[in-house]
Amino acid sequence: MSRSIIAPADVPPDERSRYLANLDRVTEGSGRLMLMAGDQKVEHLNDDFVGTDVAEDDGDPEHLFRIAAQARIGVFATQLGLIARYAPDYPDIPYLVKLNAKTNLVPTASADPLSRQWHTVEQVVRLRETSGLNIAGVGYTIYPGSRHEAEMFTEAARLIFEAHQHGLLAVIWAYPRGQHVADEHDPHLIAGVTGIVASLGADFAKVNAPTGEPAVLREAVRAAGRTRVVCAGGGETTAEGFLRRLHAQIHEAGVAGSATGRNIHQRPLDEAVRFCNAISAIDFDDTGIDDALRIYRGS
């Protein structure tokens, strides 16, 4: 059952219909998000796009757009440069513009992470208005625990307010990370992080799943309040294992959907589309595991 959809007070009256339409589109009216993440070109360089277990097509950025165009997804998140280059050929995809990114070349053990904003919300709105593309929201990553956290919190707070002023959704990637963070997968710490994202005013908090059974996420869901929590898909796992974990996260902890990258795009196109459709069936339709697996297997 979906939670009631409420426009926050920082969405002006003349933008509320657009905001609610965007939220309805990316959740298909379910209150749950199905986000296909395609922002790893910067975050992980080319590590996620080549390898013995990675589809050859994944080396081409257009593979991401082909999947998003053919599959049932809520929204496709990637950088503005890729959207500007490829989206004119895929205008029906709902897009979320990732506004910051950093590489993994500098390890956290050497320096606390800092990821600065690349583009402004104004630039995103200009792209939306001049291109006619279906841009539903913006995204931004924060690293609570980094000695640079205040700088990222400030940017995040400003862009969330600006996004809402233009009827856009705001999704915050939130990963506790830094030299003073002992365990970034600690459930209690992740609950603290979702509370930060709620305080910033975001619509969704994207976090890494904490250590333990899916039920440990309940604390994070409660801490987030009206900000909805989704879990990153993480590294490669079996399709069945992924779908079972997602189903448990939703039904045992109250997680509001999924945000998945590598587990989708590292697969060949046909399989990636079927996997997206299976994930979306769980997110949007409350489909059970057996039926979701049938969708994935094409049976």
Side-chain angles (χ1 to χ4, degrees), residues 63-124:
H63 181 62
L64 300 167
F65 290 82
R66 293 187 183 109
I67 297 168
Q70 296 181 36
R72 183 188 184 193
I73 66 168
V75 69
F76 173 47
T78 193
Q79 284 81 16
L80 189 148
L82 288 176
I83 293 172
R85 183 66 65 179
Y86 292 96
D89 290 337
Y90 302 93
D92 295 330
I93 297 173
Y95 292 99
L96 184 141
V97 181
K98 189 71 187 301
L99 293 179
N100 70 332
K102 71 170 194 63
T103 73
N104 57 3
L105 290 173
V106 179
T108 302
S110 298
D112 280 10
L114 171 63
S115 186
R116 293 290 309 274
Q117 191 171 340
W118 288 15
H119 296 97
T120 66
V121 173
E122 180 185 359
Q123 288 174 311
V124 174

Side-chain angles (χ1 to χ4, degrees), residues 10-299:
D10 56 357
V11 178
D14 60 348
E15 288 290 344
R16 285 183 184 171
S17 60
R18 190 201 304 264
Y19 171 90
L20 293 172
N22 283 330
L23 186 55
D24 186 71
R25 174 63 184 87
V26 304
T27 67
E28 290 199 5
S30 69
R32 295 186 190 140
L33 179 68
M34 191 290 185
L35 183 148
M36 177 182 159
D39 60 326
Q40 301 93 351
K41 282 287 184 183
V42 178
E43 300 290 341
H44 303 160
L45 298 179
N46 218 36
D47 294 346
D48 286 351
F49 300 92
V50 295
T52 55
D53 296 322
V54 178
E56 184 176 356
D57 288 348
D58 205 17
D60 181 353
E62 193 164 3
H63 181 62
L64 300 167
F65 290 82
R66 293 187 183 109
I67 297 168
Q70 296 181 36
R72 183 188 184 193
I73 66 168
V75 69
F76 173 47
T78 193
Q79 284 81 16
L80 189 148
L82 288 176
I83 293 172
R85 183 66 65 179
Y86 292 96
D89 290 337
Y90 302 93
D92 295 330
I93 297 173
Y95 292 99
L96 184 141
V97 181
K98 189 71 187 301
L99 293 179
N100 70 332
K102 71 170 194 63
T103 73
N104 57 3
L105 290 173
V106 179
T108 302
S110 298
D112 280 10
L114 171 63
S115 186
R116 293 290 309 274
Q117 191 171 340
W118 288 15
H119 296 97
T120 66
V121 173
E122 180 185 359
Q123 288 174 311
V124 174
V125 172
R126 286 169 60 189
L127 176 64
R128 180 184 71 185
E129 301 305 324
T130 59
S131 67
L133 293 172
N134 184 6
I135 298 176
V138 296
Y140 184 91
T141 300
I142 60 172
Y143 296 103
S146 168
R147 67 185 183 89
H148 306 291
E149 65 174 26
E151 188 172 349
M152 290 177 280
F153 292 175
T154 299
E155 286 192 343
R158 288 174 179 169
L159 71 86
I160 291 166
F161 180 84
E162 291 167 2
H164 285 170
Q165 290 286 297
H166 293 282
L168 294 167
L169 305 176
V171 180
I172 296 296
W173 282 237
Y175 305 132
R177 203 163 291 169
Q179 296 179 56
H180 295 286
V181 176
D183 179 8
E184 65 181 81
H185 296 283
D186 176 74
H188 185 61
L189 176 58
I190 290 175
V193 167
T194 64
I196 293 171
V197 178
S199 300
L200 292 170
D203 302 293
F204 292 91
K206 176 180 181 283
V207 298
N208 283 322
T211 304
E213 295 300 315
V216 301
L217 276 160
R218 289 174 187 160
E219 182 185 355
V221 171
R222 285 195 298 268
R226 291 183 179 179
T227 293
R228 304 168 194 217
V229 176
V230 297
C231 287
E236 182 184 1
T237 185
T238 66
E240 181 172 354
F242 182 98
L243 295 172
R244 289 190 181 279
R245 181 180 66 188
L246 172 60
H247 190 272
Q249 288 171 345
I250 290 172
H251 293 280
E252 296 178 23
V255 166
S258 60
T260 313
R262 287 169 283 177
N263 265 296
I264 291 173
H265 65 70
Q266 289 183 341
R267 303 171 190 267
L269 178 59
D270 178 67
E271 183 185 359
V273 169
R274 287 185 279 108
F275 191 46
C276 277
N277 294 344
I279 294 170
S280 293
I282 292 176
D283 285 338
F284 298 145
D285 304 330
D286 270 338
T287 298
I289 295 296
D290 291 342
D291 287 338
L293 282 170
R294 279 192 280 271
I295 292 170
Y296 167 66
R297 292 166 181 156
S299 58

